[in-house]
Amino acid sequence: MSLITPHITPEVSQLAPGFRALSITVQAATVVDPTVGARALDEACSAMTATDVPWAEAHLAAWGDLFRKFGAKPQRTPCSAEALRKRVARDGNLPAIDPVVDLYNAISLRYAIPVGGENLLAYEGQPRLVVADGSEQFDTMRGGEPAHEPVDPGEVVWRDDKGITCRRWNWRQGVRTRLSIDSGQMWFILESLPEMPLAALHEAGEKLVAGLRDMMPEAVITQCLIGHIE
């Protein structure tokens, strides 16, 4: 499995000194139960609307404040967790997309935390969280066709040696590194701020790992905590 060491630049650490995240890498194996993700997603939608976690409102508000600090407008481009939750609040559920994507979306909903999933084999170099200078390009789709768009100077983005992999911290993922059940090597990043208890971050990671092991019992999984360590 490729070694991965996500890096947070000093500029980002200054912007969000309490930011911490769980980095989880997976050497995928034969999928035994592809229904795990859809079941987890249904359960998470129900849990969110019935008995939400106590830190949800404060944590999502903190992400909104952080987005404003680097010039984003969270009402228009919210963090990924808030965007998912708004859809569930409106529609009552989320449609199944892909077993692995459904699983990490379920964790995001249940724990009110942005969760990203990436195809590690599509990466060039190591993932790093940086402040963009505005010259970078982001690969996306427009009108059903591949397209590239510039990012805003000062915007916080995830990137590798080739380019941007996720805009506005965790708002929109690029096409090149998009994850699916067929990805041989996977990388997940669970991103939290101090308004979410550190123990809850670890619990969210354990829940994701448990789901992955239910889905593919022979997968090789490693994890580490990055960012602000209490």
Side-chain angles (χ1 to χ4, degrees), residues 9-230:
T9 61
E11 293 81 5
V12 174
S13 295
Q14 291 171 10
L15 190 69
F19 172 71
R20 62 277 179 97
L22 271 180
S23 172
I24 299 175
T25 56
V26 179
Q27 178 69 57
T30 302
V31 176
V32 172
D33 188 354
T35 67
V36 169
R39 292 201 308 270
L41 189 60
D42 286 343
E43 293 169 1
C45 291
S46 298
M48 189 201 101
T49 55
T51 55
D52 205 358
V53 292
W55 60 84
E57 184 175 349
H59 195 221
L60 295 178
W63 274 107
D65 291 341
L66 181 54
F67 272 38
R68 293 184 189 94
K69 288 175 70 174
F70 63 84
K73 297 179 180 179
Q75 292 84 2
R76 184 168 62 88
T77 59
C79 79
S80 62
E82 184 167 0
L84 288 175
R85 286 173 149 249
K86 284 181 176 179
R87 290 175 60 189
V88 173
R90 182 191 66 207
D91 302 332
N93 57 27
L94 286 178
I97 298 174
D98 172 273
V100 174
V101 176
D102 296 342
L103 179 60
Y104 77 73
N105 279 345
I107 302 302
S108 181
L109 286 169
R110 183 180 285 271
Y111 290 92
I113 180 177
V115 180
E118 302 274 296
N119 176 7
L120 193 52
L121 292 176
Y123 264 76
E124 296 188 12
Q126 298 294 325
R128 49 196 185 272
L129 189 62
V130 307
V131 176
D133 63 19
S135 67
E136 302 90 346
Q137 292 290 313
F138 176 71
D139 67 307
T140 184
M141 299 292 290
R142 188 176 296 117
E145 297 293 330
H148 288 84
E149 62 185 30
V151 300
D152 298 326
E155 182 179 333
V156 176
V157 297
W158 280 101
R159 66 162 300 158
D160 64 1
D161 291 347
K162 188 171 184 178
I164 305 300
T165 58
C166 193
R167 286 200 63 184
R168 296 196 179 108
W169 208 308
N170 50 48
W171 168 63
R172 180 187 291 173
Q173 183 184 25
V175 175
R176 172 171 57 93
T177 60
R178 188 172 291 169
L179 181 64
S180 77
I181 192 66
D182 298 321
S183 303
Q185 294 183 18
M186 306 173 182
W187 175 52
F188 301 92
I189 186 77
L190 291 75
E191 303 180 302
S192 75
L193 299 172
E195 286 74 12
M196 178 183 188
L198 184 58
L201 172 60
H202 284 293
E203 182 181 327
E206 291 167 3
K207 191 78 170 179
L208 176 59
V209 169
L212 290 167
R213 293 201 186 282
D214 286 344
M215 189 182 299
M216 47 185 99
E218 296 181 357
V220 178
I221 302 174
T222 62
Q223 62 178 297
C224 67
L225 185 66
I226 62 174
H228 178 71
I229 310 299
E230 297 178 349

